Amino acid sequence: PFFRKGQYVHTRGINLYYETIGKGKPLLFIHGNGGDLHSFDKNIPYFAKQYQVIAVDSRSQGKSIDLKDSLSFEMMADDFNALLDSLHLKKAYVIGWSDGGINGLYLAIRHPDKVKMLAISGANLWPDSSALKPSMITDMWKEHNILLKESLTADEKIKLKIVDLDLFQPNMSLAQLHTIHCPTLVIGGDHDLISPLHTALIAANIYNANLWIIPNCGHATPMEKRELFDTEVNSFFNGKYK
């Protein structure tokens, strides 16, 4: 079994938790909304054979506690940049799923020198029904309204902050996507919570990006189609897509 070394880096006002495993080219894994690095437990062993995997708990999620009121994808992208700096890594391969895909885009936009190659799945540019399934928006509003009361516990405050992150963000422009020049693979399931047309729009607005819509697959592409996802993303990183 692989031994994963877990530790914290104090950066940007929080203790950011991450785990490292394997040796080789650095590869950063970024999880989805309300999750943690364990989302990729079944993907990491495959990549750890060839890469130095860095799996991180995003701000306010998992073990990366942040009790402050504000939360944004831009803040999280800056956290990951600081994490790579603390590890003395000039560049990393990046795999981001769901909110992690949004984080990956913002990392490539805000810190373009840090991303060697980018693979994102289930990302969106804005939080409306042109991007998200309407039922998902309805569910998030329900959760928001349940949590929106006068006195919240610390846990409820964090939960509201995480729900509101996806309800009101991101607000990314196509012009921002045009600034991304690292090789990029844009992924989605054909039954994703994100409209495949929106996923295609992302790929169309990143210079020379590749689009992969996985048949018979929902939002959780790295989990639902694990072997296919792992081998194809690794092939992309190894230059299969030209």
Side-chain angles (χ1 to χ4, degrees):
F2 285 95
F3 172 72
R4 281 154 56 164
K5 183 182 178 186
Q7 56 198 103
Y8 290 90
V9 58
H10 185 73
T11 184
R12 298 175 33 77
I14 63 166
N15 290 314
L16 193 71
Y17 180 76
Y18 67 98
E19 295 180 2
T20 56
I21 179 175
K23 292 180 179 176
K25 300 171 286 190
L27 167 59
L28 178 67
F29 272 89
I30 314 175
H31 65 79
N33 186 278
D36 60 25
L37 54 80
H38 292 295
S39 300
F40 299 110
D41 275 354
K42 292 185 176 177
N43 306 90
I44 286 171
Y46 173 88
F47 286 96
K49 293 172 185 172
Q50 301 173 60
Y51 300 85
Q52 177 198 1
V53 171
I54 305 142
V56 59
D57 281 353
S58 299
R59 178 182 287 257
S60 287
Q61 294 156 87
K63 296 180 181 177
S64 297
I65 306 300
D66 173 26
L67 302 176
K68 294 185 284 297
D69 291 335
S70 60
L71 182 64
S72 72
F73 289 107
E74 292 90 341
M75 288 165 68
M76 287 190 272
D78 292 351
D79 290 340
F80 304 138
N81 175 64
L83 171 61
L84 294 174
D85 279 345
S86 76
L87 296 171
H88 308 291
L89 296 172
K90 290 183 179 178
K91 280 183 183 288
Y93 294 82
V94 177
I95 294 175
W97 167 59
S98 197
D99 276 20
I102 300 167
N103 291 140
L105 290 172
Y106 270 123
L107 186 61
I109 290 164
R110 294 170 73 82
H111 307 282
D113 55 318
K114 283 294 200 305
V115 185
K116 185 170 178 65
M117 298 181 82
L118 175 64
I120 59 158
S121 186
N124 59 296
L125 305 177
W126 42 75
D128 67 16
S129 59
S130 71
L132 309 174
K133 273 192 175 176
S135 60
M136 181 185 175
I137 298 172
T138 301
D139 289 344
M140 288 193 295
W141 271 112
K142 281 179 185 172
E143 201 166 357
H144 168 88
N145 289 331
I146 288 167
L147 287 164
L148 202 63
K149 52 189 181 186
E150 278 188 26
S151 58
L152 294 176
T153 65
D155 283 350
E156 286 172 334
K157 280 182 182 176
I158 291 169
K159 195 171 180 185
L160 180 62
K161 187 167 62 170
I162 298 297
V163 170
D164 283 357
L165 180 68
D166 277 3
L167 195 51
F168 301 113
Q169 299 180 52
N171 296 288
M172 198 182 303
S173 68
L174 298 180
Q176 284 177 295
L177 290 185
H178 298 163
T179 68
I180 298 175
H181 286 278
C182 63
T184 304
L185 177 59
V186 181
I187 307 164
D190 62 349
H191 292 88
D192 210 307
L193 293 172
I194 311 299
S195 158
L197 287 173
H198 189 76
T199 302
L201 179 72
I202 295 173
N205 282 278
I206 297 175
Y207 174 75
N208 218 15
N210 297 281
L211 173 66
W212 180 28
I213 301 295
I214 305 177
N216 191 31
C217 190
H219 185 57
T221 55
M223 301 83 196
E224 291 180 46
K225 303 288 183 181
R226 178 175 54 85
E227 290 183 12
L228 179 64
F229 181 93
D230 292 351
T231 54
E232 199 65 20
V233 169
N234 188 44
S235 293
F236 166 67
F237 286 158
N238 284 306
K240 177 183 173 182
Y241 296 73
K242 298 296 183 187

